[in-house]
Structures are given as structure tokens and as C-alpha cells.
């Protein structure tokens, strides 16, 4: 049987931008390796979930791995906790968090990600202070607050006498919850911080909301006077003085394993806890990666080597590359274009030089669009290519949003992709 390589470029999808003379970053980028794959294979567009849904990364990844997110009701907080290596049990409460910057009043957000220059080491020191100094008093409970990568973190609260419910609202005003329980990005987020409220009349939800509000209030008092933040201000940097929390969950999702569904031994390579958590919950084998160094050429080259090594012992590898998403959120179209070019040269270039495309089916796509002109996730479809493994080519010869619209794959929804790949793999 052929091998399957599934490459997801986080936030790759985009819209035409004036900064690039009306082109998207992918259209403007020089990508000879991805263009070669497109020329040899079939292309199309994909709604990561479905039209009208601007998904967060967790919902999108679950969908494009072949699981119906409307059925499995994922909660990102729980997935992040699992991905961060925390021991989480049903009835506890987990939330995805960001270190953020708020104004002097403590009511309005200045920057949701602390200017993107908070280091993981700095976040670790702030997390230590929170765990040491914050005590929850509303109900007997304990918590673990763990920083993960840069400004990102996860919070787990355990009630000592009773359970907690994830049916509560977000503190982070940039995201809302659907009726199905998963998070979506708001098209026009507000900057005013929101209180956490219960979404039903249960005691578990009321207590959960009160404990989250207590944690947010007390952690703010710790952070705003922390010496590290005072030093950052003196250095002209934004202070990491607030915790934004969202996507609460109280139950570990019960996914059918990848092996059961598709009869393949699959590995996952991911930098972020959310993708790592999904992989572990789906029964994939984690392929460990060293922390990114910031040297993108070296990081992408190493990931190419690790991909080739993993394919030797596994039936397939899912690799999630974070690069394009951050400049999309920041509105830096030229930087997003540059990162796409580096991925093409140092990941795909190194990979394709040693990969046998006759024996390997390779798919390249994105988990969502993060247009630079919007600076947030949108419901726009993302480009998709499937190449190698005996796939017959269509007439598309470059990899871009505009070109893929003409591809023979047409427009599909995310949950349709994995079954299609398995069928191609076994034909």
C-alpha cells in the first residue's frame, strides 16, 4: 500500500490584498515545489468545516481529519489540556487561554497576544506566579495554569466537592460558542472584556462561571504588578497583564481511533498543543518535534527530515505547520508571503528531493483561511491539492486560491477529505 503524507499549512488561505497588488500571499509567493505538485496532481477548494463557519483551529482540524465536529462536540480547552500533557478527567473544567494586554482600567484589550513578543520563558515565570499566589475561594477547588508556547496557555480547574460544566461563555470577546458547543471567530470582535456567564441554570455551570471570573480577577492583580511586566514596560514592550479564557469544556471527547476508522497506522507532527491533543485523542502516534528555534530555514528543513524518517515506519503522517497563520492575524501580507516561500523551499524542497511520489500520496491544504485584510479566521474555502500515488493530473499548473477554483476536485467540505484520501490510497 502507498504511504500518505498530509500537510496542513495553518491559516494559509487568504484574500486579495492591496499590499500585494491584489494578489493573495500564496498567489504572490514563489512556490515552485508546491506548483510542481499541483501540476502533477488534482486541485480544488475546501471549506474546512462547511460554508458559513469561520472555525477555530481545533474544530477545523477535527473536521479535516474526517470527524464530524457537529457530532463530537469538541471543546478546545480540553483538547489543549490533553495536548499540554495535563491530567484531565470528566467533570473538571479546561479552558484555552491567552496572555494579553489590557489598558489601565483593566476593562479593554490593547493586544490579545502581548505584541507577539512574549517569550515562552517569560510566560513560564508569570504562570509560576499565578499558580503560587492565586487561591480560589468561591467553592473548594484547585487549579493548574500552564503556559504552552509564547502567549498561549491552558487552565484546568478541579472542584473538590462536585463537578463543573463547560456550558459557560467566553471571557475572550474575539470568539463565541455555537449551539453545538464549539468556538468560532467573530468577524468584528469587540475590545471590551466580557464576564463569564453560565449558559444554563445548572449549579455546575454557575459555579464554573464564578470560579473562572475569580481566577481572571485574581490573576490580573498578580500580573499587573509583576516585576517581569514592569520591566517589559520600561523596555517599551506591552505587559502580559491579563488572561483571556475561552472554549471551556468538561468532558474528554470520545473519538473513534484513526486505526479503527481507516485501518492505517498514522503519526502526527505538530508544534501546538491543540493539534497534538487531537492527534492523541484520535489514537495517532506522536512524532516528537523540538521546539521551534525561530530560524525558519532550519526549522522547516528539520521537519522535512523528520517527515521522511516517520514515513519509513508509519502508513501515513499528518504534519501541521504553523507559519502562515500569525502574519495573517497581524495583517502582514508580505511576511505571510515570505513564510510561504520558506516552507516551499526548505520543507517541500528538501522533502521532494528524497520522496518517491509514485509510492506516496501527498495532500497539501490549510485548516482555515486567515486573510491579512481581515486579521481573523474566516469561512472562505482554502486551496487543496492531491498529488503523487498515481493520481491523474488536472489542468491546474500552480497552487493558489484562484487556480484551485478551476481544479477537478471541485469544492468539498473538510470531513469529506480524509475518506477520499483513504480511497485513493487503497485503489
Amino acid at each position: 500500500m502507498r504511504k500518505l503524507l498530509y500537510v496542513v499549512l495553518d491559516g494559509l488561505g487568504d484574500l486579495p490584498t492591496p499590499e500585494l497588488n491584489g494578489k493573495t500571499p500564496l498567489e504572490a509567493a514563489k512556490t515552485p515545489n508546491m506548483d510542481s505538485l499541483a501540476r502533477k496532481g488534482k486541485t480544488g477548494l475546501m471549506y474546512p468545516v462547511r460554508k458559513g463557519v469561520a472555525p477555530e483551529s481545533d474544530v477545523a482540524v477535527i473536521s479535516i481529519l474526517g470527524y464530524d465536529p457537529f457530532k463530537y462536540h469538541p471543546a478546545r480547552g480540553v483538547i489543549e489540556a490533553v495536548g499540554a500533557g495535563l491530567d484531565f478527567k470528566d467533570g473538571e473544567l479546561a479552558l484555552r487561554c491567552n496572555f494579553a494586554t489590557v489598558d489601565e482600567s483593566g476593562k479593554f484589550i490593547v493586544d490579545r497576544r502581548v505584541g507577539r513578543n512574549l517569550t515562552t520563558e517569560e510566560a513560564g515565570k508569570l504562570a509560576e506566579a499565578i499558580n503560587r499566589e492565586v487561591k480560589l475561594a468561591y467553592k473548594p477547588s484547585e487549579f493548574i495554569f500552564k503556559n504552552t508556547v509564547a502567549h498561549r496557555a491552558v487552565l484546568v480547574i478541579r472542584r473538590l466537592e462536585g463537578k463543573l460544566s463547560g456550558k459557560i461563555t467566553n471571557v475572550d470577546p474575539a470568539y463565541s460558542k455555537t449551539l453545538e458547543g464549539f468556538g468560532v471567530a467573530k468577524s468584528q470582535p469587540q475590545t471590551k472584556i466580557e464576564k463569564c456567564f453560565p449558559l444554563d441554570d445548572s449549579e455546575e455551570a454557575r459555579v464554573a462561571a464564578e470560579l473562572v471570573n475569580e481566577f481572571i480577577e485574581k490573576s490580573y492583580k498578580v500580573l499587573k504588578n509583576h516585576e517581569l511586566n514592569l520591566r517589559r514596560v520600561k523596555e517599551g514592550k506591552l505587559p502580559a497583564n491579563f488572561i483571556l479564557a475561552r472554549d471551556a469544556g468538561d468532558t474528554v471527547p470520545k473519538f473513534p481511533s484513526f486505526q479503527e476508522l481507516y485501518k492505517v497506522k498514522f503519526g502526527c507532527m505538530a508544534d501546538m498543543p491543540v493539534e497534538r491533543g487531537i492527534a492523541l485523542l484520535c489514537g495517532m502516534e506522536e512524532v516528537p518535534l523540538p521546539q521551534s528555534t525561530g530560524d525558519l530555514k532550519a526549522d522547516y528543513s528539520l521537519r522535512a527530515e523528520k517527515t521522511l524518517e516517520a514515513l519509513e515506519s508509519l502508513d501515513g503522517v499528518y504534519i501541521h505547520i504553523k507559519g502562515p497563520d500569525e502574519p495573517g492575524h497581524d495583517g502582514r501580507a508580505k511576511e505571510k508571503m515570505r513564510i510561504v516561500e520558506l516552507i516551499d523551499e526548505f520543507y517541500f524542497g528538501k522533502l521532494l528531493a528524497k520522496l518517491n511520489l509514485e509510492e506516496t500520496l501527498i495532500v497539501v491544504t490549510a485548516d482555515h483561511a486567515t486573510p491579512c485584510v481581515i486579521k481573523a479566521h474566516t469561512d472562505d474555502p482554502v486551496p487543496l491539492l492531491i498529488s503523487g500515488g498515481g493520481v491523474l493530473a488536472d489542468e491546474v499548473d500552480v497552487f493558489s486560491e484562484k487556480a484551485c477554483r478551476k481544479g477537478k476536485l471541485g469544492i468539498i467540505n473538510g470531513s469529506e477529505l480524509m475518506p477520499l484520501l483513504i480511497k485513493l490510497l487503497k485503489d
Side-chain angles (χ1 to χ4, degrees):
M1 189 175 73
R2 302 181 186 97
K3 303 278 187 171
L4 173 59
L5 175 57
Y6 192 165
V7 184
V8 173
L9 306 183
D10 199 311
L12 176 69
D14 216 297
L15 295 171
T17 173
E19 189 177 347
L20 298 173
N21 298 317
K23 293 183 177 182
T24 70
L26 179 58
E27 284 180 312
K30 295 177 181 177
T31 55
N33 294 297
M34 285 187 278
D35 290 347
S36 173
L37 288 171
R39 191 160 50 249
K40 296 174 183 175
K42 279 188 170 65
T43 61
L45 294 175
M46 178 178 69
Y47 288 105
V49 177
R50 69 184 184 192
K51 188 175 182 180
V53 175
E56 288 194 58
S57 294
D58 60 319
V59 177
V61 170
I62 287 167
S63 178
I64 65 177
L65 287 178
Y67 297 90
D68 181 357
F70 295 94
K71 178 179 179 182
Y72 292 100
H73 306 290
R76 182 161 183 176
V78 175
I79 292 169
E80 295 261 357
V82 172
L86 297 180
D87 181 23
F88 180 87
K89 296 180 177 63
D90 290 355
E92 299 173 347
L93 188 72
L95 302 99
R96 158 66 195 266
C97 298
N98 273 20
F99 285 96
T101 304
V102 295
D103 65 3
E104 289 294 326
S105 71
K107 297 179 179 179
F108 292 91
I109 299 170
V110 175
D111 193 298
R112 292 187 63 255
R113 303 173 183 88
V114 200
R116 285 205 191 274
N117 59 16
L118 183 71
T119 67
T120 300
E121 182 182 8
E122 287 177 318
K125 292 179 180 178
L126 296 175
E128 285 178 10
I130 289 172
N131 285 309
R132 183 176 61 250
E133 299 178 34
V134 172
K135 307 297 178 186
L136 298 179
Y138 177 70
K139 293 287 183 181
S141 56
E142 58 188 19
F143 71 88
I144 298 174
F145 180 73
K146 183 175 181 179
N147 67 296
T148 55
V149 180
H151 58 272
R152 303 166 185 87
V154 62
L155 170 66
V156 172
I157 301 177
R158 300 184 178 104
R159 188 177 174 188
L160 301 182
E161 300 171 359
K163 295 182 178 181
L164 297 171
S165 170
K167 293 181 179 179
I168 57 177
T169 61
N170 292 337
V171 174
D172 189 338
Y175 297 90
S176 62
K177 276 188 172 182
T178 67
L179 293 175
E180 293 82 12
F182 57 75
V184 294
K186 292 181 181 177
S187 58
Q188 295 181 323
Q190 303 298 310
T191 60
K192 186 175 181 181
I193 294 164
E194 299 176 355
K195 284 278 189 181
C196 184
F197 293 99
L199 289 170
D200 63 25
D201 292 330
S202 68
E203 183 203 16
E204 291 85 358
R206 291 196 301 272
V207 173
E210 289 294 341
L211 287 173
V212 169
N213 287 328
E214 183 181 7
F215 173 84
I216 298 297
E217 180 181 344
K218 289 183 174 179
S219 62
Y220 171 57
K221 291 178 181 178
V222 171
L223 292 174
K224 71 176 181 179
N225 296 315
H226 195 284
E227 60 181 4
L228 187 150
N229 278 323
L230 298 178
R231 184 171 70 248
R232 283 179 62 87
V233 171
K234 287 182 180 180
E235 294 171 352
K237 299 176 182 176
L238 293 173
N241 59 8
F242 201 86
I243 303 299
L244 294 175
R246 69 179 195 263
D247 301 326
D250 57 51
T251 307
V252 178
K254 305 298 189 296
F255 293 107
S257 78
F258 226 68
Q259 186 102 16
E260 291 172 9
L261 283 177
Y262 302 120
K263 306 296 186 285
V264 290
K265 186 180 179 184
F266 228 72
C268 175
M269 299 169 62
D271 293 307
M272 296 295 167
V274 62
E275 288 87 20
R276 190 179 306 122
I278 291 168
L280 294 173
L281 289 167
C282 292
M284 290 189 197
E285 182 177 313
E286 183 181 3
V287 180
L289 287 175
Q291 190 172 8
S292 297
T293 64
D295 180 348
L296 295 182
K297 295 179 181 179
D299 287 343
Y300 295 147
S301 296
L302 176 61
R303 277 148 182 75
E305 293 174 15
K306 292 288 186 181
T307 300
L308 291 166
E309 289 174 9
L311 282 171
E312 291 181 6
S313 59
L314 297 166
D315 299 322
V317 173
Y318 171 86
I319 178 165
H320 196 106
I321 299 177
K322 184 67 179 172
D325 187 53
E326 291 191 357
H329 278 292
D330 296 340
R332 295 178 288 126
K334 289 183 179 178
E335 176 65 9
K336 186 171 181 178
M337 178 189 75
R338 185 185 76 86
I339 287 175
V340 170
E341 290 179 338
L342 290 175
I343 292 171
D344 187 80
E345 181 177 359
F346 292 96
Y347 180 74
F348 286 106
K350 304 280 187 183
L351 186 79
L352 295 179
K354 298 181 179 179
L355 194 69
N356 185 337
L357 281 180
E358 290 298 318
E359 299 176 358
T360 309
L361 185 69
I362 180 168
V363 56
V364 183
T365 190
D367 55 345
H368 54 76
T370 311
C372 295
V373 293
I374 306 293
K375 299 183 181 181
H377 299 187
T378 66
D379 68 341
D380 294 286
V382 298
L384 166 67
L385 74 81
I386 303 173
S387 192
V391 171
L392 298 176
D394 57 22
E395 296 178 356
V396 173
D397 58 2
V398 297
F399 186 53
S400 73
E401 297 88 347
K402 185 177 180 180
C404 286
R405 189 171 291 276
K406 303 173 184 177
K408 294 294 185 182
L409 293 173
I411 302 178
I412 66 171
N413 288 332
S415 60
E416 298 173 296
L417 178 57
M418 197 66 209
L420 171 62
L421 296 176
I422 295 298
K423 183 177 183 300
L424 291 171
L425 197 64
K426 296 182 177 181
D427 280 350

